[in-house]
């Protein structure tokens, strides 16, 4: 993972908001667009690498999932586990039209999996990354998160960071989405933080810092030589 990988992941995360997807030579592109959950992602296969890019919020259904943060639930039915995650995010990702279809693309020839997204797309990338690592452990995983909200509790954070340790989480200044759901509610961030833009301050929130344009500007300014 290097600076160019981060910039490429940011480009693909922004591209996930677009209806038109450019053709990549020797790349097999598949699209998941699930109307009931609002989840949309793009899967690209090339030379044994599967790249999964989730779209961020752009519909009322997406915001319904975003705001369902007062509920936490057990991810996969293990009642003995202390792991709890955001129920809105989880219900969207676990829909069979989303999760099961993604699983079908992890074939024997896939040796590396890259997952990424911005905003709600980043939250989906978190759940997808750890889910695939658990079910398909003998692959190399990298996850790139931009403007990611908190997804689960401390137990989830610990489990995730152990399983998907190559996770970079880019935060732009005081991006409001990166500060919710609130820490006091038991939510914790995952991955390795990379902070760009203005100094991060408590009780300061910015909608502008969450915009894709702002991420592009600050990431380029910070990471380019």
């Amino acid at each position: 993972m290097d600076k160019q990988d981060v910039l490429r992941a940011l480009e693909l995360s922004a591209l996930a908001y677009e209806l038109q997807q450019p053709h990549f030579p020797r790349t097999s592109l598949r699209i998941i667009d699930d109307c009931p959950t609002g989840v949309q992602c793009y899967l690209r296969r090339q030379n044994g690498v599967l790249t999964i890019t989730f779209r961020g919020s752009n519909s009322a259904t997406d915001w319904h999932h975003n705001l369902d943060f007062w509920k936490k639930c057990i991810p996969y039915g293990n009642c003995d586990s202390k792991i709890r995650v955001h129920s809105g995010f989880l219900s969207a990702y676990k829909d069979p039209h989303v999760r099961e279809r993604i699983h079908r693309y992890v074939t024997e020839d896939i040796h590396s999996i890259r997952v990424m997204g911005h905003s709600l797309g980043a939250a989906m990338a978190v759940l997808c990354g750890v889910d695939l690592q658990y079910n398909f452990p003998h692959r190399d995983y990298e996850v790139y998160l931009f403007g990611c909200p908190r997804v689960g509790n401390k137990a989830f954070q610990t489990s995730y960071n152990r399983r998907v340790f190559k996770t970079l989480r880019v935060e732009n200044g005081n991006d409001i989405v990166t500060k919710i759901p609130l820490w006091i509610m038991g939510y914790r961030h995952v991955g390795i933080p990379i902070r760009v833009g203005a100094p991060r301050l408590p009780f300061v929130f910015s909608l502008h810092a969450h915009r894709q344009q702002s991420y592009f500007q600050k990431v380029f300014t910070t990471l380019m030589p």
Side-chain angles (χ1 to χ4, degrees):
M1 302 175 80
D2 57 26
K3 294 178 181 179
Q4 292 302 319
D5 291 330
V6 175
L7 293 172
R8 180 60 167 161
L10 179 58
E11 177 186 6
L12 288 174
S13 296
L15 192 61
Y17 287 91
E18 304 298 328
L19 295 177
Q20 298 297 323
Q21 296 291 306
H23 174 71
F24 291 85
R26 301 181 304 280
T27 298
S28 176
L29 174 65
R30 296 292 184 269
I31 301 172
I32 294 175
D33 189 359
D34 187 56
C35 292
T37 62
V39 174
Q40 187 176 64
C41 70
Y42 298 90
L43 300 99
R44 293 178 169 85
R45 298 163 54 97
Q46 185 173 0
N47 301 326
V49 178
L50 175 63
T51 301
I52 306 172
T53 311
F54 287 90
R55 185 199 64 193
S57 302
N58 74 344
S59 71
T61 301
D62 292 339
W63 282 107
H64 171 74
H65 292 307
N66 292 346
L67 297 174
D68 199 12
F69 55 75
W70 58 86
K71 299 176 185 176
K72 299 190 196 76
C73 58
I74 302 168
Y76 298 105
N78 181 2
C79 295
D80 294 328
S81 173
K82 295 182 180 179
I83 293 175
R84 300 291 185 274
V85 298
H86 184 296
S87 79
F89 297 155
L90 185 67
S91 65
Y93 174 72
K94 280 184 66 177
D95 186 280
H97 294 96
V98 177
R99 182 177 181 245
E100 291 181 10
R101 289 181 65 188
I102 291 174
H103 278 211
R104 288 201 293 269
Y105 292 117
V106 186
T107 52
E108 291 296 327
D109 61 312
I110 297 297
H111 57 76
S112 298
I113 298 177
R114 310 288 179 259
V115 193
M116 59 204 66
H118 168 262
S119 191
L120 172 62
M124 294 293 103
V126 168
L127 293 172
C128 180
V130 72
D131 175 43
L132 294 183
Q133 194 284 328
Y134 180 82
N135 288 283
F136 306 94
H138 303 298
R139 272 83 172 173
D140 178 61
Y141 287 89
E142 293 179 5
V143 177
Y144 299 86
L145 310 172
F146 303 93
C148 187
R150 298 182 178 101
V151 175
N153 64 358
K154 176 66 176 177
F156 175 76
Q157 177 194 56
T158 300
S159 176
Y160 179 97
N161 287 343
R162 183 180 70 251
R163 290 184 174 278
V164 197
F165 57 90
K166 290 198 289 185
T167 296
L168 299 181
R169 174 172 49 83
V170 181
E171 295 179 337
N172 181 23
N174 294 284
D175 176 353
I176 186 172
V177 172
T178 65
K179 298 189 176 190
I180 58 173
L182 298 175
W183 185 89
I184 199 171
M185 299 173 68
Y187 286 93
R188 300 292 183 270
H189 274 302
V190 300
I192 301 167
I194 298 177
R195 296 191 170 94
V196 299
R200 196 167 174 84
L201 301 171
F203 310 111
V204 177
F205 305 95
S206 171
L207 284 170
H208 174 75
H210 186 64
R211 294 173 180 167
Q212 296 175 73
Q213 299 95 321
S214 185
Y215 267 88
F216 264 99
Q217 178 188 6
K218 300 305 181 183
V219 167
F220 269 91
T221 301
T222 303
L223 297 185
M224 292 299 287

